[in-house]
Amino acid sequence: MSDAETLFERIIAGEIPSDKVYETETTFAFRDIQPQARVHVLVVPKKRYRNVAELAAGDPQLLADMLTTAAKVAELEGIAESGYRVVFNTDSDAGQTVFHVHAHVLGGEQLGFFGRLAK
Protein backbone atom coordinates (compact mmCIF):
# COMPACT_ATOMS: atom_id res chain seq x y z
CA MET A 1 0.00 0.00 0.00
CA SER A 2 1.26 3.46 -0.86
CA ASP A 3 2.20 5.80 1.97
CA ALA A 4 0.41 8.64 0.14
CA GLU A 5 -2.76 9.76 1.85
CA THR A 6 -5.99 8.65 0.24
CA LEU A 7 -8.84 11.01 -0.58
CA PHE A 8 -10.74 9.55 2.38
CA GLU A 9 -7.89 10.18 4.82
CA ARG A 10 -7.87 13.80 3.72
CA ILE A 11 -11.66 14.00 4.23
CA ILE A 12 -11.40 12.44 7.70
CA ALA A 13 -8.64 14.93 8.60
CA GLY A 14 -10.87 17.82 7.47
CA GLU A 15 -8.50 18.83 4.66
CA ILE A 16 -11.25 18.23 2.10
CA PRO A 17 -14.78 19.33 3.02
CA SER A 18 -17.52 16.72 3.31
CA ASP A 19 -21.14 16.53 4.40
CA LYS A 20 -20.60 14.49 7.57
CA VAL A 21 -23.51 12.32 8.66
CA TYR A 22 -22.02 10.50 11.65
CA GLU A 23 -18.67 9.84 13.31
CA THR A 24 -17.36 7.43 15.93
CA GLU A 25 -13.93 6.89 17.42
CA THR A 26 -13.14 4.42 14.59
CA THR A 27 -15.39 5.40 11.67
CA PHE A 28 -16.47 8.41 9.62
CA ALA A 29 -19.66 8.60 7.52
CA PHE A 30 -20.37 11.26 4.89
CA ARG A 31 -22.61 11.81 1.87
CA ASP A 32 -21.39 10.57 -1.49
CA ILE A 33 -20.83 13.45 -3.93
CA GLN A 34 -22.31 11.36 -6.78
CA PRO A 35 -25.30 9.70 -5.10
CA GLN A 36 -26.73 6.56 -6.66
CA ALA A 37 -29.87 6.64 -4.50
CA ARG A 38 -31.83 9.23 -2.52
CA VAL A 39 -29.67 8.27 0.46
CA HIS A 40 -26.06 7.44 -0.39
CA VAL A 41 -23.61 7.67 2.50
CA LEU A 42 -20.06 6.33 2.62
CA VAL A 43 -18.79 4.71 5.83
CA VAL A 44 -15.01 4.74 6.10
CA PRO A 45 -12.77 3.37 8.83
CA LYS A 46 -10.33 5.93 10.18
CA LYS A 47 -7.54 3.36 9.84
CA ARG A 48 -6.75 2.57 6.20
CA TYR A 49 -7.12 -0.90 4.74
CA ARG A 50 -7.13 -1.40 0.97
CA ASN A 51 -10.40 -3.36 0.75
CA VAL A 52 -12.91 -5.30 2.83
CA ALA A 53 -10.98 -8.58 2.57
CA GLU A 54 -7.82 -6.94 3.95
CA LEU A 55 -9.89 -5.32 6.71
CA ALA A 56 -11.64 -8.57 7.68
CA ALA A 57 -8.28 -10.36 7.94
CA GLY A 58 -6.53 -7.51 9.73
CA ASP A 59 -9.14 -6.10 12.10
CA PRO A 60 -12.49 -7.91 12.33
CA GLN A 61 -13.65 -5.59 15.13
CA LEU A 62 -13.16 -2.55 12.89
CA LEU A 63 -15.25 -4.27 10.19
CA ALA A 64 -17.97 -4.80 12.81
CA ASP A 65 -17.68 -1.12 13.77
CA MET A 66 -18.25 -0.16 10.13
CA LEU A 67 -21.42 -2.24 9.96
CA THR A 68 -22.66 -0.80 13.24
CA THR A 69 -22.05 2.68 11.84
CA ALA A 70 -23.89 1.74 8.63
CA ALA A 71 -26.92 0.70 10.70
CA LYS A 72 -26.76 3.96 12.67
CA VAL A 73 -26.60 5.95 9.42
CA ALA A 74 -29.69 4.10 8.16
CA GLU A 75 -31.48 4.99 11.39
CA LEU A 76 -30.40 8.66 11.22
CA GLU A 77 -31.43 8.89 7.55
CA GLY A 78 -34.85 7.35 8.24
CA ILE A 79 -34.33 4.25 6.09
CA ALA A 80 -33.74 1.58 8.72
CA GLU A 81 -37.36 0.38 8.61
CA SER A 82 -37.98 0.65 4.86
CA GLY A 83 -34.72 -1.07 3.97
CA TYR A 84 -31.25 -0.21 2.82
CA ARG A 85 -28.26 -1.77 1.11
CA VAL A 86 -24.65 -1.89 2.34
CA VAL A 87 -22.15 -2.44 -0.47
CA PHE A 88 -18.39 -2.97 -0.41
CA ASN A 89 -16.69 -2.78 -3.82
CA THR A 90 -13.44 -4.74 -3.84
CA ASP A 91 -10.88 -3.77 -6.48
CA SER A 92 -11.24 -2.39 -9.99
CA ASP A 93 -13.61 -4.90 -11.63
CA ALA A 94 -16.13 -4.22 -8.86
CA GLY A 95 -15.83 -0.46 -9.33
CA GLN A 96 -13.56 0.44 -6.39
CA THR A 97 -11.84 3.71 -7.26
CA VAL A 98 -10.49 4.80 -3.86
CA PHE A 99 -8.35 2.07 -2.36
CA HIS A 100 -9.29 2.76 1.25
CA VAL A 101 -12.08 0.36 2.22
CA HIS A 102 -15.50 1.97 2.39
CA ALA A 103 -19.10 0.84 2.60
CA HIS A 104 -21.88 2.46 0.60
CA VAL A 105 -25.17 2.80 2.51
CA LEU A 106 -27.94 3.16 -0.08
CA GLY A 107 -31.68 3.57 0.33
CA GLY A 108 -34.59 5.92 0.59
CA GLU A 109 -36.21 4.52 -2.53
CA GLN A 110 -36.81 1.20 -4.25
CA LEU A 111 -33.39 -0.04 -5.37
CA GLY A 112 -32.89 -2.03 -8.54
CA PHE A 113 -31.05 -5.29 -8.89
CA PHE A 114 -27.29 -5.20 -8.99
CA GLY A 115 -24.64 -7.04 -10.95
CA ARG A 116 -23.77 -6.87 -14.61
CA LEU A 117 -24.45 -3.56 -16.35
CA ALA A 118 -27.40 -3.55 -18.73
CA LYS A 119 -26.40 -3.81 -22.39
Side-chain angles (χ1 to χ4, degrees):
M1 182 177 338
S2 166
D3 287 336
E5 282 189 331
T6 66
L7 172 68
F8 293 157
E9 286 169 299
R10 294 183 66 210
I11 289 170
I12 292 164
E15 296 171 18
I16 296 175
S18 68
D19 186 358
K20 181 171 78 170
V21 174
Y22 185 69
E23 182 176 8
T24 70
E25 190 175 304
T26 60
T27 64
F28 191 85
F30 58 97
R31 295 190 196 291
D32 194 296
I33 61 170
Q34 295 180 327
Q36 302 297 306
R38 188 181 66 73
V39 173
H40 188 170
V41 175
L42 300 178
V43 176
V44 181
K46 291 182 178 178
K47 182 176 181 186
R48 181 183 8 161
Y49 287 88
R50 179 179 170 81
N51 58 44
V52 70
E54 187 179 283
L55 173 59
D59 193 341
Q61 181 57 56
L62 183 54
L63 177 55
D65 291 351
M66 286 185 68
L67 293 172
T68 299
T69 295
K72 181 65 174 180
V73 164
E75 178 187 319
L76 292 171
E77 294 293 306
I79 60 173
E81 295 298 318
S82 61
Y84 60 98
R85 186 175 291 164
V86 178
V87 177
F88 289 91
N89 295 322
T90 301
D91 293 324
S92 299
D93 276 358
Q96 185 178 7
T97 57
V98 178
F99 295 95
H100 179 141
V101 65
H102 53 286
H104 299 258
V105 179
L106 302 141
E109 62 185 291
Q110 182 69 50
L111 299 175
F113 293 105
F114 56 94
R116 185 171 291 133
L117 295 174
K119 296 188 186 232

